[in-house]
Structure formats: C-alpha cells, structure tokens
Amino acid sequence: MSNGPSEEPDDSIVGRALAWSLGLVAVVGGAAALVWLLLPAPPKPETRQADVVPPTVRERTTVPLPKIPFVDVTTSSGINYRHENGAAGEKLLPETMGGGLAMFDPDGDGDNDLLFVNSQRWTWDTRPADKPATLAFFRNDGKGQFENATAEVGLDVSMYGQGCAVGDYDNDGDDDLYITAVGANRLFRNDGGKFIDVTGETGTAGGATDWSTSAGWFDYDRDGDLDLFVCNYVQWSREFDVAQEFRLLGGGRAYGRPQNFAGAFPKLFRNDGGTFSDVTEAAGLMVKNPATGVPVAKSLGVTFVDVDEDGWLDIIVANDTVQNLLFRNRQNGTFEEQGAIAGLAFDNSGNARGAMGIDAARFRPNGDLGIAIGNFANEMTALYVTPAKIAQFTDEAISSGLGPQTRLELTFGVSFGDFDLDGRLDLVAANGHLEEDIHKVQESQFYEQPPQFFWNAGADQATEFVPLGPVQLGEDFGRRLVGRGLVVGDLDGDGDLDVVIGTTGREPRVLRNDQSLGHHWLRLRLVGTESNRSAIGAEVELKSGDVVQRATVMPTHSYLSQSERIVTFGLGESTTVDSVTIRWPNGLVQELKSPEIDRVVEVTEPTR
C-alpha cells in the first residue's frame, strides 16, 4: 500500500491537450481568413480581341462550254465491218483485246482511208463459217464516203490480228503497214497502193508464239530510215489459259488476269536499208525482274516522244498491272530505262495500274508535256506532266479534273486533239469492260461503256479538263460500246478532227465532227528528204500573236492503232499565223513565215 500523493488517469490529460489544439487551430484559421478578406483582390487578366482576316477567294473566269456535235456516220459512210474475236465459250484472254485500226493515206490521194485490224476464229474452232475473217480496208472518196477495197489492195489476209503500225520504211513515198498478232506478225510493203507481204525477206515476224500488241515506226538512231518497235504482252497459250480456271464471283468461267501470266520482252528491229536486225538486247530494252530474272513488261501501249528535248526520240511503254517503262535514248544506239526515276512508272501511291492506251502532247502554252494513260476499271486515267526539258513527271490527273471523271471506266484508247479548233488540246477516250456479265457481280460496271470527251478549258480555269455531255456533243458520241482502239483525223476534208473507235467482237463507230464554231485552223503535211520520208518525230512550233503551240508528227499512240500523220493546229478567232518552225528528225530547222490558214499545207524538208 502506498503513502505518496494520488495520480490522474491518462485519458483526462489527452482530452485537455486535444481541446487546446483545436482551439489554437480555430484561432489561427480565423486570423488567416481575416487577413485574406482584408487583402486587395488580384487584378483580372486582360482580354484581347484577335483580328480575324477572312481568306481571299481567287477569282476565276468562267468559259462557256462549246458545242462540238459528233454524228455517227458508220453505216451511212459505207463502213460495213464487224470485228471477229473468236469467242466461242472458252474465254481465252486474247478475245478481250479487240483489234486496232489505222487512219492513213496509202494511195497518196490526199484523203484518209481506214484500216481495221481483224482477228479470226481459233484454228481449233469447228463451227461452220461462210468465209474466214480478214483485215478490212476502206477507201475514202475524199468526202467521208467509203468503199471496201480490201481484196483490191491485197489485205484480204486472215490472222489473229491485234494492232498495226504505219510508216514509209523504204522511203519510196508511200505508207507501208505492219500488223501485230497472236503468233507471227506481218509486214506489208506498199507498192503503188498494193500491199505485198515481205515479212520473210525483212526478218520482222517476231517469235512464232509471241503475242504482240501495239507497235510503231520511229528513227531511233537518226540515220534517215524508220526502225520498228513492237510491244509484246504476256507469254500465252490456250492450254495454260484454260488450266487457270478463272471464275466470276458466284458465276461461270471468266477471262483471266494478266498477273497469272509471265511477262514478255518487246522487240526493236533496226532498219538496215530494207531488211531488219533484232537489236532488242543490244539496245538495252530487255528489262528483267532483279529477283527472278523474268521479263518485267506486259506491254499494251507505246508512243515515242523527246521527253528531254535533246533531239532524240525516247520510248514510253504502258504496261498492264506492272510498272510503266521510259526508255531514255542515249544517242548511241542504246536506251536506259528510267520510268521510276522520272515518275512515270506507278501511281501516286507507288502502285502499278492496268495500263492500256497512251498518248503524249505538249498541251499547255508553257510547253508542259503530258502523258495520258488509260487504266483499268476503278483506276483513274493518268496524266503525268513535266515542265519543258525537265523529264520529271507528276500525275496531275486529280488536280486537272481528269482523274475523278475516269475512275469507274475501263479505258483503252486515248488521244489528244483540238476538236473545237480553239488552240487547246482536248482528250478523248474509248472505254469498255472485258466481261459481258460484269454488271452481275459489280453493279457499277458495264460491258458496254460510253466514250468520254474532256474539253480543255485552259490551265487557269477551276477545272482544266471538263467532261462534255450530250448537250455539247450530241447524243451519238456518248452511246455505249465495247471500246478498244481509237484514232483521230480529218475524214471529210473540212479541217476538223473526226473520231473512229474500234471494238472487240462488235462494229466500230465512225463519229463525224460537225462543229460550226467558225474557228480557223492550219494543217501541215510534212515530207522528209534527208530525214525519214514520213517525217515521224518532226517537231512543229506555231506562233500566232501571243499564242505558241507545239506538236510532234507521231501516228503511234492510243491503243493498237495509228492516227493520221498530218499535224492540226486550231487558231480560234485568229486570222493569221506569224510563223511555223519545224525541227526535222535529223536536226535541221526550217521556218515558214505567215502561211495561209484554213488549208492543208505540204512542207518538204530542204536539203543541206
């Protein structure tokens, strides 16, 4: 038991401490609140109104659309021809390609005749037939009326024809004719309006199993005679085609895809003075896949143009589902392939397209060179453009207005031409699908498709290439057909450009240009002497006031086809031409002062 003072419990001490703490916090908090209330309020941030500048709207002039009516005169002009593609149910790929055509003057009477390249029934086809299909040649009376003169000129020849090339390879003053085919090709020499088969003696048949498509004459070595370039498509045989078992979605057999077939090299035949040498390999034209060593090209279209303006023709090849090719002429008998470097090989996303037909032209006053290439359905027509002398291309199909309007169509033949004679080059296109039943599986696609006409409104307009319709063109132009080859030129002697479209397995269409805008024009027929007699590759520059136009003598363009060699310049309302400057293929420059207008002027190359 303890005798000291007594102690308080711990809970009482803790309680008194907690009460003192809470009191102190209350006093401090109250003092802080009092100080906050007595302090001046912080200044409000200054607000400023930003100056809003509205965007400037570029003023663009509007140009009324011209009326350029075309009239279908196929039957009334005497063209009674139907293409035979041999289709009998097996659906073999060559049946889809159609036949080319040519607008040229083989008899030298001053007007354009028409040749249609026919195919034929397959040799294993046992169906009865009245007579075999042949090439078809129609002679023009000078006013746009035709008579069938096929047998008379020696062209009643049966072959599985594809395309053609026209040029005076022997420099005797008349146009000779090369026909490409599935199998051996044929060269016909023009002897006073009669065509003689000289394939064997000239060495130009190509391979017996080749499938050749577009072809063209040009003087690549500038020795004064025409050499021959021949596109080959794919390595094809009936057995391989049938074995692929191509099918439409949910349907029967379909035509095959080129991706399943190996590519093929083109051929270059050098003219050695009437006979030819195959110089394809020596010239550097055998482009191979670096990984597999197989040929890259699957070629359907070709044209020749001096892309860098060095005086030597280069070769541009449109390929189906693989890259396009640009063979730059090295001026020593060889070429260097630069398609990808120059921006011509692919679309803007780096993809290859299903390229068919091709054309080239300096279509702007500043000398811009445009390369138009027709592509497969759901792929826009390409418009590769480079400034003069640069040879670095950009696809301007979208910005020019051409691309969006061509996306759905499957485009084969394409051609520039001044159809309203206003001094600006328009563009026409032949369209048509491969499959008759395509609409059953793709609602947006049709076997027969309307041709298209794009009017050049000028580079300073909101839309440079404006699609014209029935209001401007009439009802005949846009009627659907299975378009393939396409040519342009004057058939009735009135100075403006008419259009002829070939098909596959159907009748062609002859469209007469009946524009009556009152525009003036000048047409030039060039005759070479020291250069090749056809003047192929000659450059022509026309000056009228402040307007400068340029053109090249080049029948090889479009698809499987050859247009007239005459160069047409539209002058609009101008009544004078100040000068015409001609740079002949051998480099000689000739100038004409103030030629008469509204007529065809023949110009012969002067001798040195």
Side-chain angles (χ1 to χ4, degrees):
M1 167 172 187
S2 172
N3 295 321
S6 61
E7 300 179 352
E8 294 182 341
D10 290 343
D11 289 347
S12 299
I13 298 173
V14 172
R16 286 198 300 269
L18 179 59
W20 277 101
S21 298
L22 292 175
L24 181 60
V25 169
V27 170
V28 172
L34 180 62
V35 171
W36 182 82
L37 290 172
L38 294 176
L39 287 175
K44 294 182 178 180
E46 182 181 357
T47 59
R48 300 180 60 186
Q49 182 68 38
D51 295 330
V52 178
V53 180
T56 58
V57 178
R58 182 168 53 172
E59 294 291 336
R60 291 187 182 273
T61 58
T62 57
V63 179
L65 301 182
K67 290 187 181 296
I68 315 172
F70 286 86
V71 178
D72 185 347
V73 295
T74 312
T75 302
S76 62
S77 67
I79 303 297
N80 55 348
Y81 162 77
R82 182 182 177 91
H83 178 259
E84 172 63 77
N85 65 4
E90 284 190 300
K91 292 210 168 183
L92 304 175
L93 188 55
E95 298 164 4
T96 66
M97 293 302 174
L101 58 154
M103 185 186 295
F104 68 131
D105 184 15
D107 51 9
D109 64 356
D111 51 57
N112 285 314
D113 305 313
L114 290 173
L115 170 80
F116 296 94
V117 180
N118 211 350
S119 301
Q120 64 179 5
R121 292 190 178 185
W122 298 107
T123 55
W124 51 83
D125 189 344
T126 59
R127 292 177 298 164
D130 295 334
K131 58 181 180 179
T134 71
L135 305 175
F137 177 81
F138 291 87
R139 181 182 290 124
N140 191 345
D141 69 355
K143 299 179 181 179
Q145 291 294 311
F146 295 88
E147 64 172 347
N148 192 325
T150 308
E152 181 183 340
V153 300
L155 291 177
D156 51 341
V157 176
S158 186
M159 56 194 297
Y160 204 97
Q162 293 284 271
C164 58
V166 172
D168 185 2
Y169 83 87
D170 54 2
N171 282 332
D172 67 349
D174 49 29
D175 284 326
D176 308 301
L177 182 63
Y178 188 77
I179 305 294
T180 64
V182 177
N185 303 323
R186 310 278 283 273
L187 174 59
F188 296 93
R189 186 183 65 223
N190 187 344
D191 286 353
K194 182 82 170 181
F195 289 97
I196 309 299
D197 190 335
V198 293
T199 311
E201 64 193 70
T202 57
T204 52
T209 60
D210 285 352
W211 177 357
S212 300
T213 53
S214 291
W217 298 97
F218 75 128
D219 185 6
Y220 82 95
D221 50 7
R222 287 182 40 166
D223 64 353
D225 54 29
L226 290 174
D227 311 296
L228 178 64
F229 183 90
V230 182
C231 292
N232 286 317
Y233 186 36
V234 295
Q235 298 177 35
W236 179 86
S237 69
R238 176 196 184 193
E239 292 74 21
F240 182 83
D241 196 334
V242 172
Q244 299 309 299
E245 282 296 322
F246 300 107
R247 297 279 170 182
L248 282 175
L249 184 64
R253 176 167 167 80
Y255 285 109
R257 306 183 312 144
Q259 293 93 326
N260 290 57
F261 298 85
F265 295 125
K267 289 194 184 307
L268 176 62
F269 294 100
R270 185 187 64 213
N271 190 340
D272 297 328
T275 60
F276 292 81
S277 299
D278 184 344
V279 295
T280 311
E281 184 172 10
L285 300 177
M286 289 185 170
V287 181
K288 300 178 181 179
N289 185 310
T292 62
V294 302
V296 166
K298 299 181 180 182
S299 305
L300 288 176
V302 64
T303 194
F304 311 104
V305 61
D306 184 1
V307 296
D308 49 9
E309 300 187 65
D310 62 357
W312 296 73
L313 286 173
D314 309 298
I315 309 169
I316 305 179
V317 180
N319 286 310
D320 190 3
T321 70
V322 297
Q323 67 190 70
N324 301 317
L325 302 174
L326 166 60
F327 292 107
R328 294 282 291 273
N329 194 327
R330 301 176 66 187
Q331 306 180 19
N332 61 0
T334 67
F335 294 83
E336 182 179 2
E337 203 290 302
Q338 296 185 355
I341 295 174
L344 282 170
F346 306 103
D347 67 11
N348 288 333
S349 299
N351 299 314
R353 291 183 277 200
M356 312 293 179
I358 184 171
D359 196 9
R362 299 196 180 276
F363 69 105
R364 289 176 181 153
N366 62 1
D368 282 357
L369 172 65
I371 310 294
I373 299 180
N375 292 308
F376 201 77
N378 299 312
E379 297 174 341
M380 293 181 290
T381 291
L383 182 62
Y384 298 104
V385 180
T386 182
K389 300 183 180 181
I390 301 299
Q392 189 62 53
F393 292 84
T394 302
D395 190 349
E396 297 186 11
I398 294 178
S399 61
S400 69
L402 181 66
Q405 302 291 336
T406 60
R407 187 174 185 85
L408 285 180
E409 283 72 23
L410 199 168
T411 299
F412 281 86
V414 291
S415 183
F416 288 103
D418 186 358
F419 295 92
D420 60 344
L421 302 175
D422 66 349
R424 297 186 297 268
L425 293 177
D426 314 305
L427 185 72
V428 291
N431 305 317
H433 213 282
L434 309 184
E435 289 284 354
E436 291 191 33
D437 295 329
I438 190 64
H439 185 62
K440 295 179 180 179
V441 295
Q442 295 184 35
E443 291 186 358
S444 65
Q445 291 298 316
F446 297 87
Y447 185 51
E448 292 184 327
Q449 298 181 359
Q452 290 177 291
F453 186 108
F454 295 92
W455 179 64
N456 187 340
D460 60 338
Q461 298 303 307
T463 301
E464 186 172 9
F465 284 99
V466 180
L468 300 188
V471 172
Q472 296 84 27
L473 303 175
E475 297 292 336
D476 287 349
F477 186 92
R479 286 192 296 107
R480 295 175 179 271
L481 80 170
V482 191
R484 294 295 185 262
L486 177 150
V487 296
V488 299
D490 186 6
L491 291 175
D492 53 0
D494 63 356
D496 56 28
L497 299 176
D498 308 301
V499 177
V500 185
I501 302 175
T503 66
T504 180
R506 307 285 180 90
E507 292 79 10
R509 184 173 299 167
V510 181
L511 293 162
R512 188 184 66 212
N513 184 345
D514 280 356
Q515 64 84 26
S516 57
L517 298 167
H519 291 164
H520 298 287
W521 49 274
L522 175 65
R523 285 165 53 80
L524 297 171
R525 180 189 294 114
L526 304 189
V527 180
T529 54
E530 295 183 6
S531 301
N532 69 86
R533 188 69 176 266
S534 299
I536 290 174
E539 299 277 356
V540 186
E541 181 180 88
L542 178 144
K543 294 182 179 179
S544 178
D546 296 332
V547 176
V548 178
Q549 300 182 55
R550 296 179 60 185
T552 304
V553 178
M554 185 51 61
T556 301
H557 61 265
S558 187
Y559 169 75
L560 305 180
S561 300
Q562 302 275 291
S563 289
E564 65 172 7
R565 283 205 317 274
I566 293 177
V567 174
T568 298
F569 290 105
L571 303 175
E573 296 180 358
S574 177
T575 58
T576 59
V577 170
D578 298 326
S579 66
V580 172
T581 303
I582 303 169
R583 188 184 76 181
W584 294 89
N586 68 357
L588 181 68
V589 177
Q590 178 182 6
E591 187 170 351
L592 309 177
K593 290 291 188 181
S594 303
E596 294 187 70
I597 65 171
D598 296 333
R599 65 192 60 217
V600 179
V601 176
E602 184 169 295
V603 184
T604 300
E605 179 186 18
T607 56
R608 295 180 188 271

